Amino acid sequence: MKQIILPLLFMLALFIFPKQCFADLVASESFSLTIPQTTSLQLISDKTDFGTIQSSEYGVSNKSAHVITLGDGTNNNSHIRTNNPKTVANKQFKLSFSSDSMNVNVVSEDNIAKLVLTDANQTEVSINITDYNQSERPKLGAGQGSEFVVQDSKSLSIPAASNIEFDDQIAALSMKMDLDESTLDVNDAPQTMSFNVVFSIVGIN
């Protein structure tokens, strides 16, 4: 019986499914995923120079004159923005200072960081690097903020594991650069003293 049924089934299959050519039907679409920077830094100043200095101001230290603001801790212009504050909060943060035309040194004095610029002719001028109240070193983060300390002769830093406080994914910088007019001298050569400031998070590309 098996020998009769099997050939019949084979013949039936050939009859129902004759050999044919089929064309493929294809539809396609391309998609892309762009992953943005998860952490960004912004450093914006209200101006890029200290304004016109009068010779009558030499020898006088005036906190209200010749100040550049790089984030006053309230307007959030200069800040860190991240979608992962928990990870970023314990990185190391740096403010580095340099110049292409003169020597730059960072020192600490009376809880204020000072940027000392010295040209080739030994003209030496100091700039106080303070918080927005101009009473302490710069700070970073919400609430009371974490204070930068002098790391070396070229930079200020907040050490890792400082747990910077973020407010709605933003940690604002509180920093002013206040020219110390008392360090100007009538014998200083007329010139423009230029320097650079870099705000960075160590360990994040």
Side-chain angles (χ1 to χ4, degrees):
M1 190 68 178
K2 290 181 181 178
Q3 290 179 351
I4 296 172
I5 292 173
L6 287 174
L8 285 175
L9 288 175
F10 181 69
M11 294 271 305
L12 186 61
L14 287 176
F15 178 75
I16 295 174
F17 303 107
K19 197 171 185 181
Q20 295 183 28
C21 293
F22 290 93
D24 291 336
L25 294 178
V26 178
S28 67
E29 182 69 62
S30 296
F31 299 91
S32 62
L33 170 65
T34 301
I35 300 175
Q37 288 282 353
T38 58
T39 302
S40 60
L41 279 175
Q42 192 162 348
L43 187 63
I44 297 177
S45 61
D46 63 337
K47 55 189 176 183
T48 57
D49 63 61
F50 290 93
T52 303
I53 301 166
Q54 305 295 325
S55 58
S56 59
E57 296 171 304
Y58 285 25
V60 177
S61 186
N62 184 355
K63 285 189 175 182
S64 65
H66 311 302
V67 177
I68 295 176
T69 302
L70 279 87
D72 63 5
T74 59
N75 61 26
N76 292 344
N77 280 346
S78 298
H79 64 261
I80 297 168
R81 181 189 297 273
T82 180
N83 66 350
N84 196 343
K86 187 175 181 180
T87 298
V88 176
N90 284 316
K91 296 293 184 181
Q92 179 186 358
F93 308 93
K94 286 185 68 176
L95 288 166
S96 301
F97 303 86
S98 63
S99 175
D100 298 327
S101 58
M102 67 191 64
N103 189 45
V104 175
N105 279 300
V106 178
V107 298
S108 182
E109 183 179 309
D110 299 327
N111 203 38
I112 298 294
K114 292 180 179 287
L115 183 64
V116 181
L117 307 177
T118 308
D119 74 354
N121 298 316
Q122 299 307 303
T123 295
E124 187 175 284
V125 178
S126 292
I127 298 168
N128 296 325
I129 312 171
T130 70
D131 67 355
Y132 70 94
N133 290 318
Q134 295 185 327
S135 58
E136 303 176 291
R137 289 186 286 264
K139 293 181 178 179
L140 179 66
Q144 294 297 313
S146 295
E147 189 177 82
F148 283 86
V149 297
V150 176
Q151 175 174 289
D152 52 45
S153 63
K154 304 299 178 188
S155 64
L156 302 174
S157 75
I158 296 176
S162 293
N163 196 26
I164 298 297
E165 185 176 346
F166 282 77
D167 181 13
D168 193 23
Q169 299 183 328
I170 291 178
L173 176 66
S174 169
M175 176 175 168
K176 289 182 182 286
M177 297 188 297
D178 176 24
L179 174 67
D180 184 352
E181 295 85 1
S182 68
T183 62
L184 294 170
D185 188 275
V186 293
N187 296 315
D188 292 341
Q191 62 181 297
T192 298
M193 305 179 86
S194 301
F195 60 93
N196 307 307
V197 181
V198 177
F199 182 24
S200 61
I201 309 175
V202 179
I204 290 190
N205 296 323

